[in-house]
Amino acid sequence: MHAYCVADLRLSEDAAFKRIQAARAARRFPELLPAVADGRLQLIGVCLLAPHLTPENARELIEGASHRCKPEIEAWLATYFTRRIGSIDLVACQLATSQVGADDSVGARTPEVATSQVESLVETPTGPGGPEVATSQVESRSPKALLVRARLSRAKLRYAQALLGHALPSGDVDQVLDRALDALIQQLERRKIGITARPRSSRPGMSKRHISADIRRAVWERDRGQCTFVSVHGKRCDERRLLEFDHIEPVARGGRATVQNIRLRCRTHNQYEADRIFGAEFMDHKRAGRDVHSKWTTETRDILAGLRNLGCRPGDARRAAEYAAGLPVAGIEERMRAALQFLGARHVLHRPLPAG
């Protein structure tokens, strides 16, 4: 949404962020919409109220901020959230932190900031033994370089400098961090894309959803590491984060993992395509089930794996594992027996049990 507002609607980053933040707040508290429509609240007022709104105080905060400008709302919120303890007045610090969060959020939504340097200010704690962290500042040497003050672990930095003692005798922090990024990028490319110095032919996977490393490499190079979704106006999505390998012809409909049938899609457009093909209601149901399974305990997952190894169908095994997880028994053996009793092993096992 932020990219659409900036690239297509030609809004500034600050204006786009304010509108998105206001829309999210209005989704939780619809009473904001009439206040904005009749001019009682401006967008900046909604953004100032958003971090503090709760179902209990929403109406009071909206009325208190109505027909006020930004400085007046800030002063009124500071007074509203003041708490007196003894002789000390504690003023809520959410005002300052919410403004910093607003600025940071804009940058977080844009991978390449249109500036020659980005500065992240952090406080370095000090103690009797000196600072516990070391800060490094990388000077801007080109339009693509970033000026960063980062909080680092002093022990980790010194250990890395020691390991690089022969290759980098000076221990220059800039070069240490550059080498660390190179190593991280190489590791992530090997794990996510399959890029390696010695590529070799991949073996076919057991799962129909498995995408071999050579296919991932070819698709990544072809799509240039960018989402391939194209809007009705012919604009390609410029997202390079949260990319996923998507089957053009879904696996559920017989699609295979080939270079021609795999493409890069960001998570949002991948889910959008699934909604378009299978229907939003069906996919919402599947996602709700996935969210439930993500909260399963290790024991429940072990029961599910055991039932699958015994030959239970996926749906039957899932229902039995959910049933066993809700029983007031202690050991995994008891839960496993209860799951098998729930299933009725005679008609859910479609291959013979292993000997013994």
Side-chain angles (χ1 to χ4, degrees), residues 13 107 110-119 140 142-147:
E13 293 184 349
T110 55
E112 296 181 3
V113 183
T115 180
S116 61
Q117 59 188 27
V118 174
E119 186 171 7
S140 177
S142 71
K144 294 185 179 181
L146 301 179
L147 175 62

Side-chain angles (χ1 to χ4, degrees), residues 86-305:
S87 60
I88 302 177
D89 287 339
L90 299 180
V91 180
C93 298
Q94 288 90 340
L95 291 174
T97 57
S98 64
Q99 282 301 103
V100 173
D103 296 337
D104 292 344
S105 298
V106 173
R109 287 171 171 79
T110 55
E112 296 181 3
V113 183
T115 180
S116 61
Q117 59 188 27
V118 174
E119 186 171 7
S120 176
L121 299 178
V122 295
E123 295 182 358
T124 304
T126 57
E132 295 296 327
V133 296
T135 58
S136 171
Q137 181 168 301
V138 182
E139 296 295 337
S140 177
R141 296 190 177 96
S142 71
K144 294 185 179 181
L146 301 179
L147 175 62
V148 179
R149 289 186 60 201
R151 178 176 295 182
L152 306 174
S153 166
R154 181 177 292 275
K156 289 182 180 180
L157 177 61
R158 287 181 172 175
Y159 186 51
Q161 289 172 323
L163 293 176
L164 287 169
H166 291 88
L168 194 62
S170 66
D172 183 72
V173 177
D174 294 5
Q175 298 186 44
V176 171
L177 294 180
D178 191 62
R179 287 173 179 251
L181 285 175
D182 287 340
L184 177 62
I185 291 172
Q186 183 179 2
Q187 177 186 354
L188 293 175
E189 285 182 337
R190 181 172 60 251
R191 178 167 61 87
K192 291 190 171 186
I193 311 172
I195 296 178
T196 178
R198 297 180 179 179
R200 55 185 179 182
S201 300
S202 303
R203 298 178 181 177
M206 298 295 294
S207 171
K208 294 181 180 180
R209 297 185 177 277
H210 174 74
I211 304 175
S212 60
D214 54 346
I215 294 177
R216 282 182 283 145
R217 287 193 297 268
V219 171
W220 187 272
E221 182 177 358
R222 182 197 65 200
D223 297 342
R224 304 189 301 277
Q226 181 179 340
C227 177
T228 57
F229 178 83
V230 179
S231 70
V232 293
H233 302 293
K235 184 181 184 304
R236 179 178 177 179
C237 175
D238 56 4
E239 185 61 72
R240 296 180 179 273
R241 297 175 61 252
L242 300 177
L243 295 179
E244 300 172 348
F245 291 94
D246 174 47
H247 291 75
I248 299 175
E249 181 67 21
V251 176
R253 296 186 176 180
R256 301 179 59 188
T258 62
V259 175
Q260 295 73 24
N261 195 48
I262 300 295
R263 63 189 172 190
L264 285 179
R265 283 288 172 90
C266 64
R267 179 170 298 175
T268 300
H269 284 129
N270 195 1
Q271 294 182 359
Y272 167 77
E273 186 69 14
D275 291 345
R276 189 185 66 82
I277 294 176
F278 297 105
E281 184 177 354
F282 174 80
M283 290 306 302
D284 288 342
H285 175 73
K286 297 290 288 185
R287 292 175 189 128
R290 182 180 58 192
D291 293 340
V292 171
H293 299 157
S294 65
K295 299 177 182 178
W296 279 5
T297 63
T298 303
E299 189 177 77
T300 306
R301 296 180 185 276
D302 291 341
I303 294 173
L304 178 63

Side-chain angles (χ1 to χ4, degrees), residues 29 31 49-64 76-77 80-81 83:
F29 303 98
E31 53 267 37
L49 293 180
H52 312 287
L53 290 172
T54 64
E56 293 76 21
N57 67 12
R59 185 177 299 276
E60 184 179 0
L61 289 183
I62 293 173
E63 292 178 355
W76 181 81
L77 284 175
Y80 181 87
F81 286 103
R83 296 294 182 265

Side-chain angles (χ1 to χ4, degrees), residues 31-69:
E31 53 267 37
L32 286 168
L33 295 175
V36 175
D38 59 24
R40 286 183 289 138
L41 273 181
Q42 299 178 355
L43 284 180
I44 186 61
V46 177
C47 294
L48 291 174
L49 293 180
H52 312 287
L53 290 172
T54 64
E56 293 76 21
N57 67 12
R59 185 177 299 276
E60 184 179 0
L61 289 183
I62 293 173
E63 292 178 355
S66 295
H67 304 293
R68 295 176 185 263
C69 62

